[in-house]
Amino acid sequence: MRAETAALTADYLKSTDPDRYYASLLIGEDKRAAVQSLYAFAAEVASVRERVSEPTPGEIRLQWWDDALRGQGHGNVRSNPVADALLTTIGDYGLPIVPLQRLIAARRFDLYQDPMPDLTSFEGYAGETVSVLYQFAAMVLNDGVPVEDGDAAGHLGVANAFIGHVRAFGFNASQHRIFLPLPLFRANGVTESQIFAGTPTEGIRAALGQAIDLAGEHLGKAEAAIGALSPSLRPAFAYAPVLRAALGQLKHVQEQPFAPPPDMASWRKIAAMSWWTWRNR
């Protein structure tokens, strides 16, 4: 990968998804740019919803990325440094493009106001948008060879998604969007209109508590699976301790669902990941 492309991609990742940028710093320098290209691509696709005012322009942008992956991009695709970096990584490590296409397809859900219909759909969405990043980072560390990770990537991705969407519950509700599985709320007597009204209820708190419990279950399974991996692959999962710390803060969200949630300082995240990586090497 050209040094200029790698630097621009790293800068883009740092500005759009600083947490994954910090996690990428725990990857060896020889493979860091490749992992950053995957994270930057995911950040770019995830940000499409916030940069469009209606679905159609978002669909067009997502289609651009799908075309680029299939080698049918319009214009000079490689002039986009993130696309250039991603395509270089795919070529260097022989990564399959289908999971990345599924990531793009899953992000189409973000463009619309439909609520997350059920737990299975949520887990599928989490797998296609988050778990794939852990899976591919591990493959890069394994020189492109698929990793039998005991579903470390799958469980960590779902835990990551649950924690992120519990934290973002209030913001998403203000946008009339529900990313957590709707049946969790309906089972506790909560309607969509109550969520969009922004008024905390015991039913909302109970539903969020159940989402927190599910996040904890997946995180525990992920941690067990990561522990069974070769130490050389574990840096791909260095974000796990940040998720463990974030899980402990979710009670605040449960108590005040529509208030901005607390967050760890960046230096604390870096320290947690660095210590975890040192212990797991």
Side-chain angles (χ1 to χ4, degrees):
M1 186 182 303
R2 293 184 300 117
E4 181 182 6
T5 295
L8 289 171
T9 301
D11 288 344
Y12 177 80
L13 177 63
K14 187 176 182 179
S15 66
T16 54
D17 192 344
D19 280 6
R20 293 214 183 278
Y21 171 76
Y22 299 140
S24 75
L25 299 181
L26 280 303
I27 302 292
E29 192 172 355
D30 59 329
K31 295 177 178 176
R32 186 179 303 155
V35 172
Q36 287 178 339
S37 75
L38 295 164
Y39 291 170
F41 159 72
E44 163 67 20
V45 173
S47 71
V48 169
R49 171 63 179 84
E50 307 307 325
R51 293 189 280 114
V52 297
S53 57
E54 58 183 35
T56 300
E59 291 275 11
I60 291 171
R61 186 59 183 169
L62 293 178
Q63 188 60 49
W64 185 92
W65 278 102
D66 189 81
D67 290 344
L69 286 175
R70 289 186 291 114
Q72 299 178 6
H74 304 287
N76 184 8
V77 170
R78 294 273 187 170
S79 66
N80 179 314
V82 174
D84 186 22
L86 177 67
L87 293 173
T88 298
T89 295
I90 290 171
D92 287 348
Y93 292 93
L95 301 180
I97 67 167
V98 171
L100 301 178
Q101 290 177 301
R102 288 175 180 160
L103 185 155
I104 294 169
R107 285 296 181 187
R108 289 191 164 93
F109 176 84
D110 300 7
L111 302 177
Y112 300 90
Q113 299 297 106
D114 300 326
M116 187 64 67
D118 50 50
L119 179 59
T120 300
S121 297
F122 180 86
E123 291 178 340
Y125 174 86
E128 290 171 345
T129 59
V130 188
S131 297
V132 66
L133 300 180
Y134 294 116
Q135 179 187 18
F136 271 30
M139 284 182 66
V140 168
L141 293 184
N142 206 36
D143 295 320
V145 179
V147 176
E148 293 294 334
D149 61 12
D151 215 19
H155 285 298
L156 195 62
V158 175
N160 198 153
F162 262 121
I163 291 168
H165 283 298
V166 170
R167 287 179 50 81
F169 173 75
F171 171 77
N172 285 328
S174 73
Q175 305 295 307
H176 284 208
R177 300 163 71 193
I178 302 173
F179 277 94
L180 292 169
L182 187 59
L184 290 181
F185 296 97
R186 288 180 172 166
N188 287 283
V190 179
T191 65
E192 293 177 52
S193 60
Q194 287 175 313
I195 294 173
F196 298 150
T199 302
T201 67
E202 288 308 309
I204 289 175
R205 293 190 179 96
L208 291 176
Q210 291 166 8
I212 293 168
D213 289 344
L214 288 167
E217 290 176 14
H218 281 285
L219 184 55
K221 291 176 181 178
E223 289 168 335
I226 292 166
L229 289 173
S230 165
S232 65
L233 301 178
R234 291 175 191 164
F237 304 92
Y239 197 56
V242 175
L243 292 175
R244 175 56 68 182
L247 183 68
Q249 296 178 325
L250 291 185
K251 284 296 181 184
H252 176 91
V253 179
Q254 187 180 9
E255 293 166 2
Q256 301 181 52
F258 299 100
D263 195 11
M264 291 174 66
S266 295
W267 71 267
R268 289 187 181 276
K269 294 178 181 179
I270 295 169
M273 290 188 286
S274 298
W275 174 244
W276 182 93
T277 302
W278 182 82
R279 289 181 61 204
N280 283 276
R281 63 186 180 179

